[in-house]
Amino acid sequence: MTTDPQTASRLARRAADTARLMGVDFIPVAGSAPPPPPTPAPAPALPDATDPEDRLSRADRAVRLTDLPPVTDVVAALDELRARYERESVVAQRMEGWTNIVFGDGDPHADLVFVGEAPGANEDEQGIPFVGRAGQKLNEMITAMGLSRETVYICNVLKVRPPGNRTPTSDESALDGVFLDEQLAILNPKVIVTLGKPAAAYILGTSDAMGRLRGNWHDYRGVPVMPTFHPAYLLRAYTKENRERVWSDLQQVMEKLAT
């Protein structure tokens, strides 16, 4: 069966209208001629978060944080970064259903920074990271270290809540992660603790399992990194063995902070 030019043109227009309504790049139509290249040219595809070359180009991770010029006003720099996040974050613009940006909490001059993956429902409601049940468990972990929540800094890779508290995608982590990179450059901590696999995956640029990562020191731009289990996982798998593993990780952090 052949299609006359007028019918083919009508089908192509209908497909284009449908594509625009559905928010997709194209819907192929059998028998239709390929469309002419758009003007202006489309933006390049977002790089994959797992590509190490893209990660290095998005934030110069070859430069050690200790080699960067000192930030004279850390609080003002964080405020400016948050304002820029509100204006420019593609994740915040595309993500549906979130209420508040959850940027960070604690002492901006702290030696120790905890990094999680993304806000949950309680965090989204209050605009503060780790305030739900997992946050209460993190507070207990910090207290056991002889510290307080007010003397450390806590943040996430993503600054807005994914729908249904789902795990962030690698592209979402890459897009929001560039703001985390700048945040950590401003904070310039002595030690970083990543909470859970998604945070460790972004910070360390690895897909290794938590069982291989935790308990061992890693490096982020010259800063020692200790991955450990997320408090939410610890609540789900509250075994003696897991508690001992986390406490062992935190003891190593305490020793590192004391040097």
Side-chain angles (χ1 to χ4, degrees), residues 21 57 64 78-79 106 125 150 177 238:
L21 288 172
S57 66
R64 296 165 61 92
L78 289 173
D79 288 343
E125 180 181 353
E150 292 74 26
Y238 201 65

Side-chain angles (χ1 to χ4, degrees), residues 104-211:
D105 185 50
D107 182 2
H109 302 283
D111 288 336
L112 177 58
V113 171
F114 290 90
V115 180
E117 62 185 70
N122 291 292
E123 292 76 16
D124 179 53
E125 180 181 353
Q126 299 185 40
I128 304 172
F130 284 90
V131 292
R133 290 185 64 233
Q136 294 172 9
K137 179 55 62 178
L138 177 59
N139 291 346
E140 293 174 8
M141 293 161 56
I142 294 170
T143 300
M145 298 173 70
L147 303 170
S148 69
R149 186 178 174 110
E150 292 74 26
T151 61
V152 303
Y153 193 88
I154 306 170
C155 57
N156 287 301
V157 179
L158 264 64
K159 310 301 186 190
V160 293
R161 178 196 181 199
N165 289 356
R166 64 165 172 76
T167 301
T169 67
S170 60
D171 281 344
E172 289 167 347
S173 293
L175 288 165
D176 254 18
V178 296
F179 293 96
L180 173 65
D181 288 328
E182 292 191 52
Q183 192 174 19
L184 292 173
I186 294 169
L187 295 167
N188 199 359
K190 187 174 182 179
V191 177
I192 296 171
V193 173
T194 58
L195 302 168
K197 183 178 178 180
Y202 180 78
I203 289 290
L204 302 178
T206 181
S207 59
D208 287 350
M210 277 301 301

Side-chain angles (χ1 to χ4, degrees), residues 1-13 29 31-33:
M1 177 179 176
T2 61
T3 304
D4 64 83
Q6 288 185 339
T7 301
S9 177
R10 186 173 65 254
L11 290 173
R13 288 196 302 272
V29 178
S32 63

Side-chain angles (χ1 to χ4, degrees), residues 54-116:
D54 287 333
R55 290 168 58 83
L56 288 171
S57 66
R58 295 167 75 88
D60 190 4
R61 294 186 172 215
V63 178
R64 296 165 61 92
L65 294 189
T66 53
D67 293 337
L68 295 174
V71 178
T72 56
D73 191 333
V74 173
V75 174
L78 289 173
D79 288 343
E80 190 281 330
L81 179 62
R82 180 192 172 110
R84 184 150 51 82
Y85 179 87
E86 294 178 9
R87 296 192 306 267
E88 300 177 4
S89 170
V90 175
V91 173
Q93 293 169 9
R94 293 180 179 176
M95 196 81 77
E96 296 181 352
W98 61 269
T99 303
N100 288 301
I101 291 173
V102 183
F103 190 75
D105 185 50
D107 182 2
H109 302 283
D111 288 336
L112 177 58
V113 171
F114 290 90
V115 180

